[in-house]
Amino acid sequence: MDSHLLLCQAIADRIITNSQQRITFAEYMDMVLYHPEYGYYASDAVKIGFLDSDFFTSASLGSDFGELLTKQFYQMWEILDQPISFNLVEMGAGQGILASHILNYAKQEYPDFFAAVKYIIVEKSQSLKQEQQKRLQDFSVDWCNLEEITPNSIIGCFFSNELVDAFPVHQFILDGGELREIYVTVEQKPEEENSALPIFIEIMAEPSTPQLGEYFKLVGIDLSQNTYKNGYRSEINLAALKWLGIVADCLQRGYVLTIDYGYPAHRYYHPRRDQGTLQCYYQHRHHDHPYINIGRQDITAHVDFTALSSWGERCGLKKVGWTEQGLFLMALGIGERLAALSYQQQPISQLLQRREGLHQLINPGGLGNFGVLVQSRGLTAQEASKPLLGLVVPE
């Protein structure tokens, strides 16, 4: 029996053994992506890049993204008065490509900073962790779970790129003006049907936790307005709040940098976005069917940056700034890199490829539209007054 069938059966078993014969969509998504043996991120199913892959990230486009981030990390180190040990905690490091770009560039361009960096990777997937260890074997890197980091111990920066979008989300629907949650159950088959593959279907019921209703107070959205029609559907990412709370507890002094695709709450929960943002990615194609290709495809939802900012304030994180990736990278010098291509002696094919990669990083219709949220904790008034390079609006 292949992993796809085993995962489907494991999900069905979870449903059947539940007293109400159902699980939340968040539980379903968590099993599909993170089941320790058969989940998408726990297996060899994850494919990142351009050829024969499900999706690509900014780091897939070359080393420029990581190098420009390193420039920002270097300034953060300077603002904190160049501590002897500066923790860079990458959460969800994929194949380790971004980490290799950051560490290589820091070693070449900022040797004093490189000597101070203690690089830590937080990774749930064992298969990705093995790939990271192989790629980063020439560097001193530590791996751990987020819960293993001692509270109030990190001086430096927690950062992530396209992590929060893969957290399991609760799905809800408005029914007769009431907030109802989407649950997953198993369709009862006729006795004569011998298919070994369970069929998963959705049902509506009362919310599994009062946190779902409280979430909208946090982000300032009133779903009772008559602009929200019956059947309005979207997602709530409670896992992101739990994650950010743990990160805040671990950070003594420094920053949290979150890069992902998403919106402020007023855009995320706009009445016209009435089917939410949930997407599935399989072989570079996206669709909205989470009950097919189970364990073989990625499932994501956009990030509500208002929730991260507001919850961060409650957890002791101050909002330093929010911008778009295109503007962030322009402020860090990607424009100068594009201009310098005209003077580089390389084969024309390589120059064109790098030029295309740089343009994709700032394309307002793609990666350039990603959100960049920076939060801080434990900074002195003088340190907090120094603007970060990436948040300075380009002239």
Side-chain angles (χ1 to χ4, degrees), residues 30-45:
D30 183 63
M31 289 192 73
V32 167
L33 296 181
Y34 301 109
H35 187 283
E37 294 179 81
Y38 315 126
Y40 178 74
Y41 283 105
S43 67
D44 295 328

Side-chain angles (χ1 to χ4, degrees), residues 91 146 150-154 158 241-253 255-256 311-318 375-378:
M91 299 167 289
L146 192 58
T150 304
N152 199 39
S153 65
I154 296 296
F158 281 93
L241 306 187
K242 180 180 179 182
W243 161 80
L244 189 61
I246 296 172
V247 168
D249 285 344
C250 293
L251 184 62
Q252 181 188 134
R253 292 185 67 237
Y255 300 88
V256 180
W311 190 253
E313 292 285 345
R314 294 191 184 185
C315 297
L317 296 174
K318 294 184 178 180
Q375 297 161 289
S376 70
R377 184 170 192 170

Side-chain angles (χ1 to χ4, degrees), residues 33 35-37 39-46 94-96 123-134 143:
L33 296 181
H35 187 283
E37 294 179 81
Y40 178 74
Y41 283 105
S43 67
D44 295 328
V46 183
Q95 296 166 319
E123 183 59 64
K124 290 180 68 173
S125 168
Q126 285 301 311
S127 61
L128 287 176
K129 180 179 176 181
Q130 291 171 5
E131 195 166 352
Q132 294 159 12
Q133 290 173 332
K134 184 177 180 181
W143 279 263

Side-chain angles (χ1 to χ4, degrees), residues 265-284:
H266 71 276
R267 289 181 59 196
Y268 196 113
Y269 297 108
H270 194 283
R272 288 200 295 269
R273 184 171 282 111
D274 59 2
Q275 292 302 306
T277 70
L278 194 83
Q279 288 284 303
C280 305
Y281 291 87
Y282 181 66
Q283 296 182 351
H284 262 308

Side-chain angles (χ1 to χ4, degrees), residues 20 85 98 126 159 192 206 260 269 312 338 345 357 366 388 394:
Q20 296 178 305
S85 180
L98 180 57
Q126 285 301 311
F159 74 100
E192 64 272 13
E206 69 283 351
D260 222 314
Y269 297 108
L338 274 165
Q345 300 298 317
L388 293 181

Side-chain angles (χ1 to χ4, degrees), residues 89-305:
V89 186
E90 183 178 2
M91 299 167 289
Q95 296 166 319
I97 295 172
L98 180 57
S100 68
H101 293 160
I102 291 170
L103 289 167
N104 274 309
Y105 194 69
K107 184 178 182 179
Q108 294 170 13
E109 299 296 324
Y110 307 113
D112 292 344
F113 172 58
F114 178 76
V117 166
K118 180 181 180 182
Y119 208 98
I120 301 170
I121 290 179
V122 174
E123 183 59 64
K124 290 180 68 173
S125 168
Q126 285 301 311
S127 61
L128 287 176
K129 180 179 176 181
Q130 291 171 5
E131 195 166 352
Q132 294 159 12
Q133 290 173 332
K134 184 177 180 181
R135 178 170 272 113
L136 301 170
Q137 58 187 327
D138 293 335
F139 296 102
S140 176
V141 178
D142 292 327
W143 279 263
C144 67
N145 296 322
L146 192 58
E147 293 77 9
E148 294 173 340
I149 298 177
T150 304
N152 199 39
S153 65
I154 296 296
I155 297 175
C157 181
F158 281 93
F159 74 100
S160 62
N161 179 54
E162 295 194 56
L163 169 72
V164 183
D165 64 85
F167 286 173
V169 294
H170 292 262
Q171 287 197 307
F172 71 89
I173 191 166
L174 294 183
D175 181 46
E178 295 293 323
L179 183 71
R180 306 278 279 172
E181 185 164 5
I182 301 293
Y183 292 83
V184 181
T185 189
V186 180
E187 183 178 60
Q188 297 298 319
K189 301 177 191 175
E191 290 185 8
E192 64 272 13
E193 190 172 328
N194 295 319
S195 172
L197 194 64
I199 298 174
F200 301 110
I201 58 173
E202 297 180 344
I203 57 173
M204 290 189 302
E206 69 283 351
S208 59
T209 169
Q211 288 180 280
L212 298 181
E214 294 163 0
Y215 181 91
F216 292 101
K217 297 177 183 177
L218 174 72
V219 299
I221 296 294
D222 182 4
L223 292 176
S224 66
Q225 299 178 57
N226 57 16
T227 51
Y228 289 97
K229 66 182 184 181
N230 195 53
Y232 180 89
R233 176 172 174 153
S234 193
E235 314 88 26
I236 298 172
N237 195 337
L238 296 181
L241 306 187
K242 180 180 179 182
W243 161 80
L244 189 61
I246 296 172
V247 168
D249 285 344
C250 293
L251 184 62
Q252 181 188 134
R253 292 185 67 237
Y255 300 88
V256 180
L257 171 64
T258 307
I259 303 175
D260 222 314
Y261 46 89
Y263 313 105
H266 71 276
R267 289 181 59 196
Y268 196 113
Y269 297 108
H270 194 283
R272 288 200 295 269
R273 184 171 282 111
D274 59 2
Q275 292 302 306
T277 70
L278 194 83
Q279 288 284 303
C280 305
Y281 291 87
Y282 181 66
Q283 296 182 351
H284 262 308
R285 296 181 180 180
H286 63 86
H287 60 85
D288 56 2
H289 302 296
Y291 306 110
I292 63 174
N293 303 320
I294 296 173
R296 299 171 177 169
Q297 67 181 6
D298 196 15
I299 306 177
T300 74
H302 282 51
V303 175
D304 178 355
F305 281 100

